[in-house]
Amino acid sequence: MPPKGKADKTAKRGGKAAASKASAKAANGAATDEAVDGSANELAKLAMETNRTASGVLTSHKDSRDIKIENYSLSFYSQILIQETTIELNFGRRYALIGPNGSGKSTFLRSLAARDVTIPAHIDIYLLSEEYPPTDMSALEAVQEEANREVKRLEQLMEDILSEDPESQALDDIYERIDALDPATFEVRAAEILHGLGFTPAQMAKKTRDLSGGWRMRVALARALFVRPTLLLLDQPTNHLDLGACVWLEEYLKRYNRILLIISHSQDFMNTVCTNIIELTPKKQLQYYAGNFDTYVQTKFELEVNQMKAYEKQQAEIEHMRNFIRSCGTYANLVRQAKSRQKILDKMEADGLVEKVEKAREFKFFFGCQGKLPPPVLSFTGVDFAYSGKKEDALYLNLDLGIDTDSRVALVGPNGAGKSTLLKLMMGQLSPINGSISRHSALKVCRYSQHAAEQLDMESSAVDVLRKRFPESPQDIQYWRTQIGRFGLTGQSQLCPINQLSDGQRSRIVFCELALSNPNVILFDEPTNALDIETIDSLANAINEFEGGIVLVSHDFRLISQVAEEIWVCENKTVTPWAGTIESYKDKLRKDVIKDMKFL
């Protein structure tokens, strides 16, 4: 029998459990449809899962909301990614996992979500790494369906724990969460989250099969935010979000009071949201730092300065003792001193010497340019555009703007306002229904698309893809290994099938292809998706050194601040210059977001 207080709480929730059965039944039916629709994806996932192995020992208490796993190791396709380290995630903390592209960050999150090592059952885990599948449910219904499923799961977990250990500390948290998940408020709260992520009422009512992949990713994110799992794992959550939605998500997550572990390339985002940083080091260890990203940078710098001083001091001592030993010769009294010094050296080596700080190799991007062209290079005059061809459906009306080879423009604005469409008009991939777009006769424009890496031949290697793309260039392997190596793709990564590379590594192949094309103007559509922080900094330097024009669409505030000289706002069927900086634009978005966040 459970104690009276807990028995009363259990009885009180009996009505909730009964009331949720009908909705749970409907949810199960929808889940069956999802399973059918997603069967192809499941087969692909299975191939990935079978090539991942992990081991470790859970050392935190079984009822604790903290997670501590010691001697953790992870490998993928027989490649060791993490070796004999400790996972320590404390309740109430928000962690960012950082490390180079291809180091195993996403694989680590998938390993945690799959419980490859033991994690207590009362710690529920939600991994956001892919979009919600296309179904006949609306976006609003999809979020509510996940909430109903969570209520049912918590009630079943409560019953299981009560039957096994009525005094378990885990019950208190379950009671609180069931109370917080009030079905009467599901629709309103789901709508508030979807609104924060950029959905209009009309989009909320759309069936998910009628939404693009980016919008279905937002649906998946909304489901995760609604149920507030004990361990929330987010892999690049700001991808597919506009700047306004990024600010909203920052404000939401910085109040997340359970365990949050994210992979993000945005320093702004990590500074606002995170309380701790976990670095996956080149030695395949997890290194923990308190504070946000800026604090991590400062702390790591200070530690490395102190480590280098200690290394240099120790090396000087070692060299002094070795010189003394060499100078002793065969004199009996000096030989004894030499042996004593040698014992000291042997002990120092046995205890472990201070290691020299090894700086990560910096890769310098370079985009070739055909050269400057006299303006006007690319001009819009009275341009109207609608995908339907009808003026009443126009995305843009009476658009006048110009781009030249000195332009450094960032396009900002809500999703659906037409930023990517404007880039396609500049490329000539779309034509206006009214007005004209004039291009210089010698103009060469290249575009980096956020989906470009998905178009690569996944069965070929990076070297083979580039050789095929540029048949007029030398075809020897070493030449192409040198070219792709400049973009940070080295060693076996140049020769293995592209499907074994991380998303960030695949993006480097596209950057290399872009650099070798020598355009006058480059159009970047979300170039930072999946890139690590060091690569983004290299990209910023390459953009600043590029001699041609740049038009950038990005949700990364820091990249925009590094490279843009003009901010253009795409909204209300037109393009308007922003008078201030990107920082002032973000401040304006934040004020708007906070004003609307009534549910926090």
PDB file of all heavy atoms in Angstrom, residues 546-568:
ATOM      1  N   PHE A 546      36.710  38.058 -49.891  1.00  0.00           N
ATOM      2  CA  PHE A 546      36.210  37.866 -51.252  1.00  0.00           C
ATOM      3  C   PHE A 546      36.094  39.212 -51.953  1.00  0.00           C
ATOM      4  O   PHE A 546      35.588  40.193 -51.407  1.00  0.00           O
ATOM      5  CB  PHE A 546      34.844  37.167 -51.187  1.00  0.00           C
ATOM      6  CG  PHE A 546      34.205  36.930 -52.526  1.00  0.00           C
ATOM      7  CD1 PHE A 546      34.833  36.161 -53.487  1.00  0.00           C
ATOM      8  CD2 PHE A 546      32.965  37.484 -52.812  1.00  0.00           C
ATOM      9  CE1 PHE A 546      34.235  35.930 -54.723  1.00  0.00           C
ATOM     10  CE2 PHE A 546      32.353  37.268 -54.036  1.00  0.00           C
ATOM     11  CZ  PHE A 546      32.991  36.490 -55.001  1.00  0.00           C
ATOM     12  N   GLU A 547      36.561  39.282 -53.181  1.00  0.00           N
ATOM     13  CA  GLU A 547      36.621  40.551 -53.895  1.00  0.00           C
ATOM     14  C   GLU A 547      35.331  40.893 -54.622  1.00  0.00           C
ATOM     15  O   GLU A 547      35.202  41.979 -55.184  1.00  0.00           O
ATOM     16  CB  GLU A 547      37.778  40.518 -54.897  1.00  0.00           C
ATOM     17  CG  GLU A 547      39.148  40.412 -54.225  1.00  0.00           C
ATOM     18  CD  GLU A 547      40.280  40.340 -55.234  1.00  0.00           C
ATOM     19  OE1 GLU A 547      39.980  40.302 -56.452  1.00  0.00           O
ATOM     20  OE2 GLU A 547      41.457  40.342 -54.819  1.00  0.00           O
ATOM     21  N   GLY A 548      34.370  39.986 -54.619  1.00  0.00           N
ATOM     22  CA  GLY A 548      33.104  40.241 -55.292  1.00  0.00           C
ATOM     23  C   GLY A 548      32.005  40.614 -54.314  1.00  0.00           C
ATOM     24  O   GLY A 548      32.250  40.960 -53.162  1.00  0.00           O
ATOM     25  N   GLY A 549      30.743  40.555 -54.800  1.00  0.00           N
ATOM     26  CA  GLY A 549      29.589  40.923 -53.995  1.00  0.00           C
ATOM     27  C   GLY A 549      29.042  39.741 -53.202  1.00  0.00           C
ATOM     28  O   GLY A 549      29.200  38.582 -53.594  1.00  0.00           O
ATOM     29  N   ILE A 550      28.387  40.050 -52.098  1.00  0.00           N
ATOM     30  CA  ILE A 550      27.827  39.023 -51.206  1.00  0.00           C
ATOM     31  C   ILE A 550      26.393  39.399 -50.854  1.00  0.00           C
ATOM     32  O   ILE A 550      26.105  40.542 -50.493  1.00  0.00           O
ATOM     33  CB  ILE A 550      28.640  38.898 -49.894  1.00  0.00           C
ATOM     34  CG1 ILE A 550      30.046  38.373 -50.173  1.00  0.00           C
ATOM     35  CG2 ILE A 550      27.920  38.007 -48.892  1.00  0.00           C
ATOM     36  CD1 ILE A 550      30.095  36.922 -50.599  1.00  0.00           C
ATOM     37  N   VAL A 551      25.490  38.420 -50.961  1.00  0.00           N
ATOM     38  CA  VAL A 551      24.140  38.541 -50.399  1.00  0.00           C
ATOM     39  C   VAL A 551      23.953  37.334 -49.489  1.00  0.00           C
ATOM     40  O   VAL A 551      24.138  36.193 -49.911  1.00  0.00           O
ATOM     41  CB  VAL A 551      23.051  38.571 -51.482  1.00  0.00           C
ATOM     42  CG1 VAL A 551      21.666  38.707 -50.837  1.00  0.00           C
ATOM     43  CG2 VAL A 551      23.290  39.712 -52.460  1.00  0.00           C
ATOM     44  N   LEU A 552      23.592  37.594 -48.234  1.00  0.00           N
ATOM     45  CA  LEU A 552      23.575  36.544 -47.206  1.00  0.00           C
ATOM     46  C   LEU A 552      22.199  36.428 -46.570  1.00  0.00           C
ATOM     47  O   LEU A 552      21.605  37.423 -46.139  1.00  0.00           O
ATOM     48  CB  LEU A 552      24.617  36.887 -46.124  1.00  0.00           C
ATOM     49  CG  LEU A 552      24.609  36.056 -44.835  1.00  0.00           C
ATOM     50  CD1 LEU A 552      25.059  34.623 -45.121  1.00  0.00           C
ATOM     51  CD2 LEU A 552      25.510  36.704 -43.781  1.00  0.00           C
ATOM     52  N   VAL A 553      21.694  35.202 -46.512  1.00  0.00           N
ATOM     53  CA  VAL A 553      20.526  34.872 -45.687  1.00  0.00           C
ATOM     54  C   VAL A 553      21.023  33.949 -44.587  1.00  0.00           C
ATOM     55  O   VAL A 553      21.573  32.886 -44.865  1.00  0.00           O
ATOM     56  CB  VAL A 553      19.418  34.170 -46.502  1.00  0.00           C
ATOM     57  CG1 VAL A 553      18.272  33.745 -45.583  1.00  0.00           C
ATOM     58  CG2 VAL A 553      18.909  35.082 -47.600  1.00  0.00           C
ATOM     59  N   SER A 554      20.877  34.362 -43.327  1.00  0.00           N
ATOM     60  CA  SER A 554      21.378  33.552 -42.223  1.00  0.00           C
ATOM     61  C   SER A 554      20.607  33.855 -40.950  1.00  0.00           C
ATOM     62  O   SER A 554      20.134  34.978 -40.747  1.00  0.00           O
ATOM     63  CB  SER A 554      22.872  33.819 -41.997  1.00  0.00           C
ATOM     64  OG  SER A 554      23.357  33.086 -40.883  1.00  0.00           O
ATOM     65  N   HIS A 555      20.495  32.828 -40.082  1.00  0.00           N
ATOM     66  CA  HIS A 555      19.905  33.037 -38.753  1.00  0.00           C
ATOM     67  C   HIS A 555      21.008  33.234 -37.710  1.00  0.00           C
ATOM     68  O   HIS A 555      20.712  33.327 -36.519  1.00  0.00           O
ATOM     69  CB  HIS A 555      19.024  31.850 -38.358  1.00  0.00           C
ATOM     70  CG  HIS A 555      19.784  30.564 -38.243  1.00  0.00           C
ATOM     71  ND1 HIS A 555      19.923  29.680 -39.294  1.00  0.00           N
ATOM     72  CD2 HIS A 555      20.462  30.007 -37.200  1.00  0.00           C
ATOM     73  CE1 HIS A 555      20.647  28.647 -38.901  1.00  0.00           C
ATOM     74  NE2 HIS A 555      20.986  28.822 -37.641  1.00  0.00           N
ATOM     75  N   ASP A 556      22.262  33.281 -38.153  1.00  0.00           N
ATOM     76  CA  ASP A 556      23.393  33.437 -37.242  1.00  0.00           C
ATOM     77  C   ASP A 556      23.717  34.929 -37.100  1.00  0.00           C
ATOM     78  O   ASP A 556      24.323  35.543 -37.979  1.00  0.00           O
ATOM     79  CB  ASP A 556      24.605  32.675 -37.784  1.00  0.00           C
ATOM     80  CG  ASP A 556      25.735  32.564 -36.770  1.00  0.00           C
ATOM     81  OD1 ASP A 556      26.021  33.576 -36.090  1.00  0.00           O
ATOM     82  OD2 ASP A 556      26.331  31.478 -36.652  1.00  0.00           O
ATOM     83  N   PHE A 557      23.294  35.513 -35.977  1.00  0.00           N
ATOM     84  CA  PHE A 557      23.494  36.944 -35.754  1.00  0.00           C
ATOM     85  C   PHE A 557      24.970  37.311 -35.797  1.00  0.00           C
ATOM     86  O   PHE A 557      25.341  38.376 -36.295  1.00  0.00           O
ATOM     87  CB  PHE A 557      22.904  37.351 -34.401  1.00  0.00           C
ATOM     88  CG  PHE A 557      21.403  37.399 -34.379  1.00  0.00           C
ATOM     89  CD1 PHE A 557      20.663  36.334 -33.906  1.00  0.00           C
ATOM     90  CD2 PHE A 557      20.726  38.519 -34.827  1.00  0.00           C
ATOM     91  CE1 PHE A 557      19.278  36.383 -33.878  1.00  0.00           C
ATOM     92  CE2 PHE A 557      19.345  38.585 -34.806  1.00  0.00           C
ATOM     93  CZ  PHE A 557      18.620  37.507 -34.332  1.00  0.00           C
ATOM     94  N   ARG A 558      25.817  36.436 -35.269  1.00  0.00           N
ATOM     95  CA  ARG A 558      27.239  36.767 -35.197  1.00  0.00           C
ATOM     96  C   ARG A 558      27.860  36.835 -36.596  1.00  0.00           C
ATOM     97  O   ARG A 558      28.646  37.747 -36.883  1.00  0.00           O
ATOM     98  CB  ARG A 558      27.980  35.741 -34.341  1.00  0.00           C
ATOM     99  CG  ARG A 558      29.452  36.071 -34.121  1.00  0.00           C
ATOM    100  CD  ARG A 558      30.062  35.211 -33.022  1.00  0.00           C
ATOM    101  NE  ARG A 558      31.457  35.536 -32.817  1.00  0.00           N
ATOM    102  CZ  ARG A 558      32.461  34.936 -33.451  1.00  0.00           C
ATOM    103  NH1 ARG A 558      32.211  33.977 -34.324  1.00  0.00           N
ATOM    104  NH2 ARG A 558      33.706  35.279 -33.214  1.00  0.00           N
ATOM    105  N   LEU A 559      27.519  35.884 -37.465  1.00  0.00           N
ATOM    106  CA  LEU A 559      28.051  35.926 -38.825  1.00  0.00           C
ATOM    107  C   LEU A 559      27.596  37.190 -39.542  1.00  0.00           C
ATOM    108  O   LEU A 559      28.392  37.847 -40.220  1.00  0.00           O
ATOM    109  CB  LEU A 559      27.600  34.683 -39.614  1.00  0.00           C
ATOM    110  CG  LEU A 559      28.055  34.645 -41.076  1.00  0.00           C
ATOM    111  CD1 LEU A 559      29.566  34.527 -41.175  1.00  0.00           C
ATOM    112  CD2 LEU A 559      27.382  33.505 -41.842  1.00  0.00           C
ATOM    113  N   ILE A 560      26.338  37.545 -39.375  1.00  0.00           N
ATOM    114  CA  ILE A 560      25.833  38.765 -40.011  1.00  0.00           C
ATOM    115  C   ILE A 560      26.614  39.979 -39.518  1.00  0.00           C
ATOM    116  O   ILE A 560      27.009  40.850 -40.304  1.00  0.00           O
ATOM    117  CB  ILE A 560      24.325  38.937 -39.735  1.00  0.00           C
ATOM    118  CG1 ILE A 560      23.530  37.809 -40.407  1.00  0.00           C
ATOM    119  CG2 ILE A 560      23.841  40.293 -40.235  1.00  0.00           C
ATOM    120  CD1 ILE A 560      22.054  37.810 -40.061  1.00  0.00           C
ATOM    121  N   SER A 561      26.870  40.022 -38.204  1.00  0.00           N
ATOM    122  CA  SER A 561      27.609  41.162 -37.651  1.00  0.00           C
ATOM    123  C   SER A 561      29.046  41.207 -38.161  1.00  0.00           C
ATOM    124  O   SER A 561      29.643  42.287 -38.258  1.00  0.00           O
ATOM    125  CB  SER A 561      27.608  41.103 -36.119  1.00  0.00           C
ATOM    126  OG  SER A 561      28.404  40.031 -35.643  1.00  0.00           O
ATOM    127  N   GLN A 562      29.600  40.052 -38.528  1.00  0.00           N
ATOM    128  CA  GLN A 562      30.990  40.002 -39.002  1.00  0.00           C
ATOM    129  C   GLN A 562      31.143  40.435 -40.455  1.00  0.00           C
ATOM    130  O   GLN A 562      32.187  40.961 -40.829  1.00  0.00           O
ATOM    131  CB  GLN A 562      31.542  38.573 -38.837  1.00  0.00           C
ATOM    132  CG  GLN A 562      31.837  38.165 -37.401  1.00  0.00           C
ATOM    133  CD  GLN A 562      32.254  36.706 -37.310  1.00  0.00           C
ATOM    134  OE1 GLN A 562      31.497  35.798 -37.666  1.00  0.00           O
ATOM    135  NE2 GLN A 562      33.469  36.466 -36.858  1.00  0.00           N
ATOM    136  N   VAL A 563      30.118  40.200 -41.283  1.00  0.00           N
ATOM    137  CA  VAL A 563      30.326  40.375 -42.727  1.00  0.00           C
ATOM    138  C   VAL A 563      29.404  41.398 -43.391  1.00  0.00           C
ATOM    139  O   VAL A 563      29.738  41.908 -44.459  1.00  0.00           O
ATOM    140  CB  VAL A 563      30.175  39.020 -43.464  1.00  0.00           C
ATOM    141  CG1 VAL A 563      31.118  37.980 -42.892  1.00  0.00           C
ATOM    142  CG2 VAL A 563      28.737  38.510 -43.438  1.00  0.00           C
ATOM    143  N   ALA A 564      28.251  41.700 -42.801  1.00  0.00           N
ATOM    144  CA  ALA A 564      27.260  42.532 -43.504  1.00  0.00           C
ATOM    145  C   ALA A 564      27.510  44.017 -43.277  1.00  0.00           C
ATOM    146  O   ALA A 564      27.767  44.454 -42.156  1.00  0.00           O
ATOM    147  CB  ALA A 564      25.849  42.151 -43.058  1.00  0.00           C
ATOM    148  N   GLU A 565      27.404  44.780 -44.357  1.00  0.00           N
ATOM    149  CA  GLU A 565      27.479  46.231 -44.273  1.00  0.00           C
ATOM    150  C   GLU A 565      26.097  46.864 -44.406  1.00  0.00           C
ATOM    151  O   GLU A 565      25.897  48.015 -44.033  1.00  0.00           O
ATOM    152  CB  GLU A 565      28.405  46.773 -45.363  1.00  0.00           C
ATOM    153  CG  GLU A 565      29.845  46.304 -45.196  1.00  0.00           C
ATOM    154  CD  GLU A 565      30.736  46.725 -46.347  1.00  0.00           C
ATOM    155  OE1 GLU A 565      30.221  47.410 -47.271  1.00  0.00           O
ATOM    156  OE2 GLU A 565      31.930  46.377 -46.342  1.00  0.00           O
ATOM    157  N   GLU A 566      25.147  46.101 -44.957  1.00  0.00           N
ATOM    158  CA  GLU A 566      23.762  46.565 -45.088  1.00  0.00           C
ATOM    159  C   GLU A 566      22.821  45.459 -44.616  1.00  0.00           C
ATOM    160  O   GLU A 566      23.069  44.274 -44.866  1.00  0.00           O
ATOM    161  CB  GLU A 566      23.424  46.904 -46.549  1.00  0.00           C
ATOM    162  CG  GLU A 566      24.248  48.018 -47.164  1.00  0.00           C
ATOM    163  CD  GLU A 566      23.886  48.215 -48.623  1.00  0.00           C
ATOM    164  OE1 GLU A 566      22.834  48.813 -48.908  1.00  0.00           O
ATOM    165  OE2 GLU A 566      24.660  47.744 -49.485  1.00  0.00           O
ATOM    166  N   ILE A 567      21.738  45.860 -43.956  1.00  0.00           N
ATOM    167  CA  ILE A 567      20.700  44.922 -43.536  1.00  0.00           C
ATOM    168  C   ILE A 567      19.430  45.278 -44.298  1.00  0.00           C
ATOM    169  O   ILE A 567      18.950  46.423 -44.214  1.00  0.00           O
ATOM    170  CB  ILE A 567      20.418  45.005 -42.008  1.00  0.00           C
ATOM    171  CG1 ILE A 567      21.720  44.938 -41.199  1.00  0.00           C
ATOM    172  CG2 ILE A 567      19.425  43.930 -41.576  1.00  0.00           C
ATOM    173  CD1 ILE A 567      22.442  43.626 -41.296  1.00  0.00           C
ATOM    174  N   TRP A 568      18.892  44.322 -45.043  1.00  0.00           N
ATOM    175  CA  TRP A 568      17.634  44.520 -45.765  1.00  0.00           C
ATOM    176  C   TRP A 568      16.563  43.637 -45.145  1.00  0.00           C
ATOM    177  O   TRP A 568      16.764  42.420 -44.999  1.00  0.00           O
ATOM    178  CB  TRP A 568      17.783  44.172 -47.247  1.00  0.00           C
ATOM    179  CG  TRP A 568      18.666  45.108 -48.035  1.00  0.00           C
ATOM    180  CD1 TRP A 568      19.298  46.226 -47.577  1.00  0.00           C
ATOM    181  CD2 TRP A 568      19.005  44.998 -49.417  1.00  0.00           C
ATOM    182  NE1 TRP A 568      20.015  46.829 -48.582  1.00  0.00           N
ATOM    183  CE2 TRP A 568      19.857  46.099 -49.733  1.00  0.00           C
ATOM    184  CE3 TRP A 568      18.692  44.108 -50.425  1.00  0.00           C
ATOM    185  CZ2 TRP A 568      20.374  46.292 -51.002  1.00  0.00           C
ATOM    186  CZ3 TRP A 568      19.206  44.292 -51.700  1.00  0.00           C
ATOM    187  CH2 TRP A 568      20.044  45.386 -51.989  1.00  0.00           C
TER     188      TRP A 568
END
